[in-house]
Amino acid sequence: MSFSAYARQVRDPALPHRRRVSALRSCVQPYRPIGFHATLSFLEEQAGSFQRDEAALLRALDALVASRLARRAERRRYAAARSAAKRRGRRSPRPDDPNPHHRRGYWYGAPGWAALHALRFWQRERRPALLPSLDRIEVCLDSCVRACLAAGGGTLTPAQRQLLATAVDALDERIRPEVWRDRAAYFRARELLQVARFMEIAAEAA
C-alpha cells in the first residue's frame, strides 16, 4: 500500500489502536529521514506516547506528514529552478548549489532537533556495538559526537570542526569503490559518515 493509504489507516478510529500504530510504522518505512527506529523515537519525543495514546498517535502522523510534504515542496522548487536554469543555458548545477536530493538525514521542519535526537539515539543504541575503537578516525568522530551533545545545541569549536572534517575525509576514502574490500567495514564507514552528517546538520541549525 501507499504512504497515503497507511496514513488513512492511522486516522481511522474504527481500527484497533495496535493496527493504527502498525500503520504509522508502515508510513515510516518509505519516509524515515533519520533512520527507521530513530524516526519512530523522534516522533514519540515530538508527539508523546503514540503506542498507547490516540491523540499522540495523530500528532505523530501529522509531524511525519508535515516533514514529508515540506521535503516534496522543496524538491519541486529545486526542479523548477533547474528547469529555468537549463532554459538559460546552464545545463549543470554549480557544485555549491543546495540540492535537496543530497540531504541525507535532514528532517524538514525541525532539522537541528532531529539531528541531535538521532545522535543521542545512535549513542544509546548503536555506539556500544561500534565503539570504543582503536581506530584513530573513529575515536575522533566519537569525541566530536560527545562534544556536540554536551553543547546541547550542536555547536562545535573550530578545533572540533576541523577534527570532524578530517574524520569525514578519511571515511569518504573508505567507501570509494576502488578501495572497498570488506563489506562490514564499508557499511560501518557509511553509518559513521551519517553520524557526521547529523553533527553538520545540528551545527547548521544552531
Side-chain angles (χ1 to χ4, degrees):
M1 287 198 299
S2 67
F3 181 98
S4 297
Y6 282 120
R8 286 194 295 271
Q9 287 189 357
V10 177
R11 298 191 192 281
D12 187 351
L15 293 175
H17 189 77
R18 183 179 297 180
R19 172 81 175 276
R20 295 167 70 186
V21 170
S22 177
L24 177 66
R25 293 172 66 90
S26 295
C27 288
V28 171
Q29 284 287 358
Y31 184 65
R32 42 186 177 177
I34 58 175
F36 180 78
H37 295 290
T39 292
L40 286 170
S41 175
F42 184 54
L43 289 174
E44 187 166 18
E45 183 172 301
Q46 286 183 294
S49 182
F50 60 78
Q51 302 280 356
R52 297 185 298 273
D53 181 63
E54 180 180 14
L57 179 64
L58 295 175
R59 287 195 297 270
L61 177 63
D62 287 343
L64 186 70
V65 168
S67 178
R68 181 171 177 265
L69 289 175
R71 184 187 71 165
R72 293 176 68 183
E74 180 164 345
R75 289 186 172 187
R76 284 196 298 270
R77 287 192 295 270
Y78 178 77
R82 286 296 308 129
S83 294
K86 287 177 182 178
R87 288 194 296 271
R88 294 194 300 270
R90 185 157 62 87
R91 306 299 300 174
S92 300
R94 298 186 183 94
D96 57 346
D97 283 348
N99 185 339
H101 295 281
H102 297 162
R103 278 186 156 179
R104 295 181 64 244
Y106 189 91
W107 188 289
Y108 285 85
W113 183 12
L116 286 172
H117 183 93
L119 288 172
R120 288 193 297 270
F121 185 89
W122 177 83
Q123 189 178 56
R124 182 176 69 249
E125 301 294 335
R126 291 290 296 153
R127 181 186 180 276
L130 292 173
L131 299 170
S133 167
L134 297 178
D135 184 284
R136 183 179 62 84
I137 297 303
E138 295 179 10
V139 170
C140 287
L141 186 70
D142 186 43
S143 70
C144 290
V145 171
R146 287 186 281 108
C148 182
L149 292 176
T155 304
L156 295 175
T157 66
Q160 289 163 343
R161 286 198 298 270
Q162 183 57 52
L163 271 179
L164 179 59
T166 299
V168 168
D169 288 344
L171 290 168
D172 275 333
E173 287 294 312
R174 296 179 187 183
I175 64 171
R176 288 193 295 119
E178 60 268 29
V179 298
W180 176 42
R181 296 291 184 273
D182 182 338
R183 281 179 63 85
Y186 171 81
F187 286 110
R188 180 189 184 98
R190 279 193 59 177
E191 180 174 347
L192 293 173
L193 274 172
Q194 183 57 66
V195 169
R197 178 61 184 144
F198 287 140
M199 281 187 278
E200 291 171 350
I201 294 169
E204 289 167 6

